[in-house]
Amino acid sequence: MQALLGKEVSDLAALLAERGQPGFRARQLYQALYGNRRASLDAIHTLPGALRSELGEDFEVGRPVVDQAIRSTDGTVRYLLKLADGKTVEAVFIPEQNRDTLCISSQVGCPVDCKFCLTALMGLERHLTAGEIVGQILTLSDAHDLDPSSRSLNVVMMGMGEPLLNLDNVTKAVRLMADPDGVNLSLKRITVSTSGIIPKIEELATHEARPKLAISLNASTEEQRLALMPITKKYRLEELIRTCRAYPLRPWEHLTFEYVLLRGVNDSDEDARRVVKLLNGVRAKVNLIALNPGPGIDFETPEPERVDSFRSIVHERFPCFVRQPRGREIYAACGQLKRTSE
């Protein structure tokens, strides 16, 4: 069976035209899939029953299915979602006082091999389709009755995978998310995080419907970053920062730099000063993440005082925030997604 999720109006119009259907049926089907969040063809009552039956012979909606939902004491829920081929990915629901956040995946596993990340231990199994990316949002939205028109909803592609290595599917998914007749999210509330794939950053900059961009920095020197993020061998830190300076930010936008603090490795005051110097000339903000530990990760979490000292130095020059860990004890926090079921 083919999935309908991931198809834009033009895609749906083409497949319905083959069945002799008028053009307006494509818009009805599109609205039902994304705006009204129908999970099955039988639930799409705007389409004639005969057409639903005909489509059902070859197509299904194609949403990921909840295999497990693991709840944290802080309200965070980590989902293990099963795809049509039996592969699984993780997505996380994070409730906050005035908004909710969904952290979703772009690949099954990840090929980038950052040394402080549990997901990296999986390697890459495959890319997700645009429908599988958007499907995570729809499945979790139904589970928590989320409505972006009545309460702020942020979507961050910071789950499994390197989004920019799956750029075609990611950008198609973003168009579906941001379409007022689709999922209806503001581009200001969609963020894609990258380890620094320079050619893809440059390509993303050319897209009209592009999300906010976050860069995983995690080091203050080339040598340090190479040890922590082997991809630096291909995409050097100096060139990455040069690309960031040239990135065409919109008037309301900053580039976000994410920095995972590792005790005794990259968390000194001198590291903080080097980060400030490194980001000179970039309209940036910095998110600090004290390492979220896990089995197989040979680093330790810095003391809170060290985190505070680092932040105070960076904050003198750039907006700098410490991301509070959510769902750490259920392996739902940043860098912990590895389909852990225990």
Side-chain angles (χ1 to χ4, degrees):
M1 300 283 278
Q2 299 179 56
L4 291 170
L5 275 188
K7 296 186 185 299
E8 297 178 275
V9 173
S10 57
D11 303 321
L12 297 174
L15 74 86
L16 288 172
E18 292 174 357
R19 289 162 172 76
Q21 294 295 322
F24 72 89
R25 292 294 184 205
R27 179 61 65 180
Q28 288 178 322
L29 179 54
Y30 182 86
Q31 179 67 32
L33 292 172
Y34 303 106
N36 298 329
R37 301 199 312 230
R38 300 300 184 227
S40 70
L41 281 167
D42 288 340
I44 304 177
H45 300 302
T46 50
L47 298 183
L51 177 56
R52 297 200 303 268
S53 297
E54 184 180 348
L55 288 173
E57 294 174 6
D58 300 308
F59 295 95
E60 59 184 355
V61 169
R63 281 200 195 179
V65 176
V66 175
D67 186 70
Q68 278 188 306
I70 304 170
R71 289 170 169 79
S72 168
T73 54
D74 65 17
T76 300
V77 187
R78 177 167 64 90
Y79 286 91
L80 188 67
L81 301 175
K82 185 169 288 187
L83 309 174
D85 63 355
K87 300 280 189 186
T88 54
V89 294
E90 289 187 321
V92 182
F93 166 69
I94 307 167
E96 299 176 78
Q97 186 173 0
N98 299 313
R99 66 182 183 186
D100 300 306
T101 297
L102 301 180
C103 178
I104 64 173
S105 297
S106 57
Q107 296 176 309
V108 183
C110 184
V112 177
D113 197 27
C114 298
K115 300 305 180 183
F116 47 82
C117 180
L118 276 173
T119 313
L121 301 177
M122 295 174 57
L124 177 67
E125 296 182 23
R126 70 169 174 83
H127 293 322
L128 295 185
T129 66
E132 289 168 337
I133 294 170
V134 174
Q136 294 170 72
I137 299 170
L138 300 176
T139 295
L140 269 62
S141 291
D142 277 358
H144 296 277
D145 196 24
L146 306 179
D147 180 2
S149 66
S150 61
R151 177 175 161 87
S152 294
L153 178 63
N154 291 341
V155 171
V156 295
M157 287 193 215
M158 297 180 183
M160 291 178 171
E162 164 52 69
L164 297 196
L165 290 179
N166 187 20
L167 188 57
D168 287 348
N169 285 314
V170 163
T171 51
K172 187 173 188 180
V174 168
R175 291 196 300 271
L176 294 168
M177 292 180 211
D179 186 347
D181 292 327
V183 182
N184 192 28
L185 287 171
S186 167
L187 287 170
K188 294 181 179 181
R189 297 199 169 274
I190 307 169
T191 302
V192 168
S193 176
T194 179
S195 59
I197 313 297
I198 291 171
K200 296 299 184 179
I201 293 173
E202 294 170 339
E203 183 180 340
L204 179 64
T206 68
H207 285 259
E208 182 179 352
R210 59 181 166 91
K212 295 191 296 184
L213 183 62
I215 309 289
S216 290
L217 183 60
N218 307 317
S220 65
T221 68
E222 180 84 13
E223 181 182 24
Q224 198 180 73
R225 195 171 195 267
L226 187 58
L228 296 174
M229 303 177 68
I231 200 164
T232 307
K233 187 174 183 179
K234 184 171 185 180
Y235 302 114
R236 312 298 289 189
L237 180 56
E238 181 181 355
E239 186 182 354
L240 174 60
I241 297 300
R242 191 161 53 242
T243 301
C244 290
R245 289 195 183 103
Y247 193 78
L249 293 169
R250 291 156 288 197
W252 46 266
E253 189 174 16
H254 287 72
L255 269 182
T256 298
F257 288 85
E258 298 163 316
Y259 195 102
V260 178
L261 291 160
L262 310 171
R263 182 188 293 182
V265 176
N266 65 352
D267 63 342
S268 70
D269 287 354
E270 189 55 40
D271 283 308
R273 295 185 190 99
R274 283 195 293 260
V275 167
V276 169
K277 186 175 180 180
L278 196 62
L279 299 184
N280 183 47
V282 183
R283 192 159 82 232
K285 67 177 182 178
V286 179
N287 281 344
L288 301 178
I289 304 159
L291 174 72
N292 295 305
I297 300 300
D298 297 326
F299 296 102
E300 296 179 351
T301 305
E303 295 297 327
E305 308 84 65
R306 180 92 305 274
V307 176
D308 290 343
S309 179
F310 195 105
R311 179 200 168 274
S312 65
I313 292 169
V314 176
H315 194 62
E316 289 178 3
R317 176 63 182 83
F318 298 101
C320 185
F321 309 92
V322 178
R323 189 186 299 171
Q324 298 304 314
R326 299 292 302 272
R328 181 186 274 177
E329 85 280 7
I330 60 165
Y331 289 91
C334 182
Q336 289 190 313
L337 301 186
K338 189 176 172 282
R339 299 190 300 207
T340 305
S341 59
E342 295 82 4

